[in-house]
Each structure stands twice: as C-alpha cells, then as structure tokens.
Amino acid sequence: MKFDVAIVGSGLAGLSVALHLAQTRTVAIISKRALLDGASNWAQGGIAAVLDSGDSVDEHVNDTLIAGGGLCDEAATRFIIEHSREAIEWLIEQGVPFTRDPTAEMGFHLTREGGHSQRRIIHAADATGHAVQVTLEEKVRAHPNITLFEQHCAIDVISSDRLAPPVANAAMPTPTTPRCLGLYVQDEKTGEVLTFEAEHTVLCTGGAGKTYLYTTNPDTATGDGIAMAWRAGCRVSNMEFIQFHPTCLYHPFAKSFLITEAIRGEGGLLLLPPEAGAAGGTRFMPAHDERGELAPRDVVARAIDFEMKKRGIDYVNLDISHKSPEFLMEHFPTIYARCLEYGIDITKQPIPVVPAVHFTCGGVVTDLAGRTDLEGLYAVGETACTGLHGANRLASNSLLECLVIGRACATFIAGLDHIDVPALPQWDESRVTNADEEVVISHNWDELRRFMWNYVGIVRTNKRLERAQHRIKLLKEEIDEYYRHFRITHDLLELRNLVDVADLIVKSALTRRESRGLHFSRDYPATLPKALPSVLTPPRR
C-alpha cells in the first residue's frame, strides 16, 4: 500500500483534499465505513459564505468573532472567510444542486441562522451535506488517481522517530526532525492490518461526539484523528469547547436526528411544553438573551438546559407551524418527512427538542495549510483546530472550513517535491490472542459516555470534572491492557480513541479557570479579561 497521499476520512474535508490533489498525486481515501457515513453527509443547514453585495467579509468575520467568545484567531478567520466565495463557486462547478432563488444576486436562496447578522447560508433545501457529499462522491469514485478503502479503520500513524534506528548511510543521513511516513489500517472484513506508506498523511476523521451519551453525530464520530495525532506527539487545543446543538429531536425511537438551526432562522419559536404547567406554550428565550431564538448556540443550549432543570421537564418545543405547509415542505422536506415518521406533523404541531453534543470546536493544532507538529501529517476539518471556531462555532462555518483549508492543504502538498518513504515494518500480531470478554468493551464504552454526559456537560464544576478524570484514568488502564494483549477490533480501536479524547476534554476544562463560550463553570462563572487558548502538549517519549 504505497501512495503519495493517504487521507483518513471521507467527509467534505477528505473528499475536497482528494479531488484537489488527484490531478498530480496518487491518493488513498481510508473510510472506516462507507463514504457517505460521516457527519458531513448529515449536515442540514448549509454553508456560510459572503455571496451578496449587502453582506461583507468584515461582517462575517465580526459575527464569527462574537460567537467565538473572543477566542477566535482573527487571521485564520479572515483567511477562511475571504476564500468563502471561491469555495462555493467550486462546489457549484462540481454540480452541487443548491436551492435556487431567481431574485437573488447569484441565483441561489440564502437563509440566516443564529449568530449571523445577514442571510448568507447557501443550502440545498435542508439536506445540504448530503447534496454536497453525493456530488463529490461521484467525482471521487470516477477518478483514476484515487483509490478507495471503505470499511477500513485507521489504527495509528507511523512516525520516523518511533522506528528502529536505520543503518548509517552517508547518501541518506538520519533525519533530525521526526516525520510521518504512513499509518496502520485494519481491513474490517478480513481483520488484516495493512501498512500504508505515504509521503503525506491527512487526518479528516471529524469530531468526537460519541464521547457523550446524547449526540447529533453519526456513530463514526469517535475522535480517531485527534487521538492518533496526540499519540504521535502533536499538540491539541481548545478541547473543552464542545458545542451542544440546542435542538435535537426528542423521541424514544429517534436516534441522533438534528433539527436544523435554519428552523429558528426562518421564524421557529422555542416554547415550554404542557408539562411546564401554567407556563406551558410560552416563549422563554427573550428572558435569557435579547436575540431570542437567534442567539448563538451556546446561549440557546444553556437556556434550554436551565429551563429543563428548573421545571423538571425532559424537553422543550420548537414551533414553526405558523408558517405555511407549502413553505415548510419546500424548505425543510427532510425534517418534515422524518418527523412525520414519528407522528409529528410540523405544519400543525411543535417539535419536541433537547440539546445534544454536536461539534468539537477544538482539535489538533494546525496552520492554515493543515500542517500539524509532525512533518508530513496534516489535519483538516473538525479534527483540526485552526482558530476559526474559538470558544463557540458560528453556525454553518464548519463546512466552509473543510473546503477552504482542504484546498489550501492540497495546494501546499502539491507544491512539494516527492520524497522517498522507506519500507515500513508490518503490524505485529504474534503476541495477541482473541479476547473472551468482549462485553467489557461495550460496558466501558457505555460507562464513558454516561459519565461524560453527567460530569462534563453543558454546565460544569471542578468536582464533577475531577470525578470524570478519576474514572477516565481507570478506563485507560483497562483499555490499554486490552490493547496490548488482545487482537484488535473495531470497537476496541474506537473505545481507545474515545477515552484518549475524553481525557483531553477534561484536562482542557480543568485548565480553564473562567466561563467562556461553550465552557461554563459554576466554580468560575466570570470571564477573564484576556482570552487565551488552552494548549496541551503530549509528554515526551
């Protein structure tokens, strides 16, 4: 398995990097499930970009900085937003069927979401991610320089400093700077571990929503890229900022179904349910923020969490039934159909909703070309921390980041000379046997997600964080024992990554002695005058 570039992950970040590189490089895309099984395919609302003369880069930048709680990197934010229009134009060239509006300047309908001062969200009805992914998937599958490895699970990257010392060779001196040379990957159908040799490895594995019990993320969001980069010696930043989407469908049979921000952008109101007694049916957001339902996500999620705990209710209602059925079916066909499956007619009834983990704002520290601390290793998308999202991601900026940084990463790699990658050692399974207690893995997975939800949720305390840290230490010891002595499985690999990411989230939260953006601490409710990122550095090995 020898390629110029190995890309781990098949969301928008991975596919865009691959397509921009494939003209000049051989590319492998490694996806632990099918290409369309990631979070990008689930994205509903759209992509934020400056596409109208009534809008401006400065306004979009300012909205992002405000939502980010003063922690956004302004240079990174400006770079990404300045390239937003060309990113959208590239998608249009690829054939993405965005919703049309003949009265708009570009001919496409733009909607508005919480935290945005303008209508700037270009979308394909309420299934933008799916429309984009299907379009790019077709291009990727047809490209002769791209090889797909679906149902393949990445284990770890291979760094030159972790290999045995090479034989002295005057013509090729030993590099003083460690370099990523590829990675180990398990074929899930056969169980075989493959060695991928690659000049460049790009981590596009998405976020870590499955660290928590309730999430809008797909089952693939287990923080693989973040954990792999951390174990390889890369810094991570801002991991305490876990975005809880305010509105996930509340229903006993619904799993991880997001109700898009655009519902509130188009006039949806948050109301207390009948279970709230005399207050049932009344709006509550104006009492929490003057922006009401259009406040940023962290504000809305905390408000819902506050009302639920105060009144002892399990959910709140999101009502957009005052809009015409024609409007709702045109703009929100996916949500209309899915809710109807559960007996909820959104043209006549409110939608029961609860907050759920939605986005990992922190990640692997990178520059604006996706470069990490390890030469030859890159991270793009939700896996990375470029500084765009700060303490709270502004709605619909995430897909934009995938596109802009994905293209910048590909451009950087394409401009480099080829290097020789030495033959790498094969995976050694001689010392391991099959585990006879697989139930322990599922039990640990469930325990981790539950205590992360209870102790490291929307509102935090030092006592709860320390309690979580103690549990994580015990889990890590048990999981490491399993990893060393038993044959690896998909579930074990994901659990290993999840517990590493949970550890990073808790450590980062304990270092932040203030409340800012998505991190709200009862012990430190004030916001400090100066906003500083939290940066964790792996211990030297």
Side-chain angles (χ1 to χ4, degrees):
M1 298 297 174
K2 192 175 182 67
F3 296 89
D4 296 334
V5 183
I7 298 171
V8 187
S10 58
L12 181 54
L15 298 190
S16 60
V17 172
L19 287 170
H20 285 303
L21 272 173
Q23 299 307 315
T24 59
R25 297 289 193 274
T26 58
V27 178
I29 296 179
I30 299 156
S31 178
K32 65 180 177 181
R33 294 204 176 173
L35 282 197
L36 294 184
D37 281 341
S40 293
N41 190 53
W42 288 26
Q44 295 176 357
I47 306 171
V50 180
L51 303 171
D52 187 274
S53 59
D55 196 5
S56 69
V57 168
D58 285 344
E59 285 185 85
H60 191 172
V61 168
N62 190 53
D63 290 344
T64 303
L65 298 181
I66 291 171
L71 203 58
C72 300
D73 182 298
E74 189 165 353
T77 301
R78 185 166 292 277
F79 173 83
I80 291 167
I81 291 170
E82 282 178 344
H83 290 84
S84 63
R85 187 182 183 105
E86 66 188 57
I88 298 301
E89 288 172 343
W90 180 74
L91 287 180
I92 293 170
E93 289 171 9
Q94 305 310 304
V96 175
F98 290 116
T99 298
R100 296 275 179 176
D101 180 356
T103 66
E105 283 184 28
M106 285 187 65
F108 296 99
H109 183 264
L110 303 178
T111 191
R112 182 181 171 194
E113 295 180 344
H116 289 274
S117 59
Q118 301 285 343
R119 283 183 172 264
R120 62 168 69 101
I121 317 300
I122 189 168
H123 60 101
D126 62 347
T128 306
H130 181 71
V132 171
Q133 287 295 98
V134 167
T135 303
L136 298 188
E137 179 197 27
E138 184 179 342
K139 303 273 185 183
V140 161
R141 289 193 185 278
H143 205 292
N145 273 355
I146 299 176
T147 306
L148 303 178
F149 295 88
E150 297 176 278
Q151 313 298 333
H152 282 67
C153 193
I155 302 171
D156 266 321
V157 301
I158 304 170
S159 177
S160 59
D161 63 332
R162 308 291 170 87
L163 300 178
V167 177
N169 185 338
M172 189 170 66
T174 302
T176 56
T177 304
R179 181 180 182 90
C180 182
L181 301 171
L183 69 158
Y184 292 116
V185 176
Q186 185 179 43
D187 181 337
E188 295 204 6
K189 293 182 179 177
T190 66
E192 181 185 6
V193 176
L194 309 174
T195 304
F196 280 71
E197 298 173 5
E199 298 176 34
H200 307 278
T201 301
V202 189
L203 302 175
C204 304
T205 61
K210 296 299 284 188
T211 314
Y212 286 83
L213 185 60
Y214 300 111
T215 177
T216 65
N217 291 182
D219 290 341
T220 54
T222 51
D224 303 338
I226 298 170
M228 288 165 61
W230 171 258
R231 292 194 294 263
C234 298
R235 291 170 300 153
V236 300
S237 181
N238 293 348
M239 286 298 295
E240 69 271 35
F241 297 114
I242 301 296
Q243 186 175 72
F244 289 75
H245 196 288
T247 54
C248 185
L249 178 63
Y250 176 80
H251 191 279
F253 302 120
K255 181 183 179 182
S256 307
F257 187 66
L258 172 70
I259 305 298
T260 175
E261 189 105 8
I263 289 272
R264 286 179 286 126
E266 294 296 343
L269 301 175
L270 285 165
L271 310 174
L272 293 170
E275 289 87 335
T282 60
R283 287 178 70 193
F284 56 86
M285 275 310 304
H288 293 269
D289 193 283
E290 62 184 11
R291 292 165 290 187
E293 281 77 5
L294 290 179
R297 289 175 175 175
D298 62 321
V299 175
V300 179
R302 273 200 304 275
I304 295 174
D305 184 67
F306 175 85
E307 295 292 342
M308 287 169 56
K309 288 174 178 172
K310 174 185 175 182
R311 302 174 188 279
I313 53 180
D314 295 326
Y315 67 97
V316 298
N317 279 329
L318 177 60
D319 190 11
I320 196 168
S321 62
H322 51 276
K323 289 282 190 177
S324 72
E326 294 76 20
F327 177 89
L328 296 177
M329 291 180 200
E330 177 187 356
H331 287 269
F332 306 112
T334 305
I335 291 173
Y336 172 76
R338 180 62 63 88
C339 287
L340 208 55
E341 290 176 12
Y342 297 115
I344 303 163
D345 183 348
I346 69 170
T347 68
K348 301 174 183 176
Q349 301 167 266
I351 308 166
V353 295
V354 292
V357 170
H358 185 56
F359 192 83
T360 309
C361 287
V364 184
V365 175
T366 72
D367 66 6
L368 295 178
R371 291 184 292 178
T372 71
D373 294 328
L374 180 62
E375 189 175 346
L377 182 66
Y378 309 78
V380 180
E382 196 173 348
T383 304
C385 183
T386 61
L388 171 65
H389 305 305
N392 181 26
R393 177 178 69 95
L394 182 64
S396 292
N397 269 354
S398 51
L399 295 184
L400 175 64
E401 182 184 38
C402 292
L403 290 164
V404 174
I405 302 300
R407 183 173 194 163
C409 180
T411 301
F412 177 81
I413 292 172
L416 297 174
D417 293 333
H418 286 281
I419 64 166
D420 291 325
V421 175
L424 300 177
Q426 300 302 299
W427 183 261
D428 179 16
E429 282 197 298
S430 61
R431 58 182 172 76
V432 296
T433 58
N434 290 320
D436 59 358
E437 292 187 71
E438 292 288 334
V439 67
V440 175
I441 294 175
S442 61
H443 172 78
N444 286 355
W445 182 303
D446 184 65
E447 182 186 352
L448 174 70
R449 297 180 69 205
R450 286 186 183 278
F451 73 65
M452 285 297 290
W453 180 264
N454 291 329
Y455 300 154
V456 199
I458 295 176
V459 177
R460 298 163 180 174
T461 66
N462 275 6
K463 186 174 181 180
R464 290 178 191 168
L465 292 173
E466 288 164 0
R467 191 173 291 150
Q469 191 172 48
H470 176 68
R471 299 275 190 93
I472 288 169
K473 181 177 182 293
L474 297 176
L475 280 183
K476 279 177 69 71
E477 291 172 357
E478 191 165 320
I479 293 163
D480 287 345
E481 174 79 7
Y482 255 69
Y483 184 76
R484 287 194 304 270
H485 293 96
F486 297 117
R487 196 173 304 279
I488 59 170
T489 64
H490 177 105
D491 287 344
L492 177 59
L493 291 175
E494 289 191 330
L495 180 60
R496 177 180 179 233
N497 292 333
L498 281 172
V499 77
D500 279 346
V501 170
D503 191 36
L504 295 173
I505 293 170
V506 173
K507 282 179 177 174
S508 299
L510 283 168
T511 65
R512 186 164 295 281
R513 302 198 166 194
E514 62 167 349
S515 290
R516 184 182 298 274
L518 299 165
H519 175 74
F520 186 84
S521 169
R522 291 205 185 279
D523 296 302
Y524 305 103
T527 300
L528 295 176
K530 188 174 183 180
L532 295 172
S534 62
V535 180
L536 300 180
T537 303
R540 294 179 66 87
R541 299 192 202 183

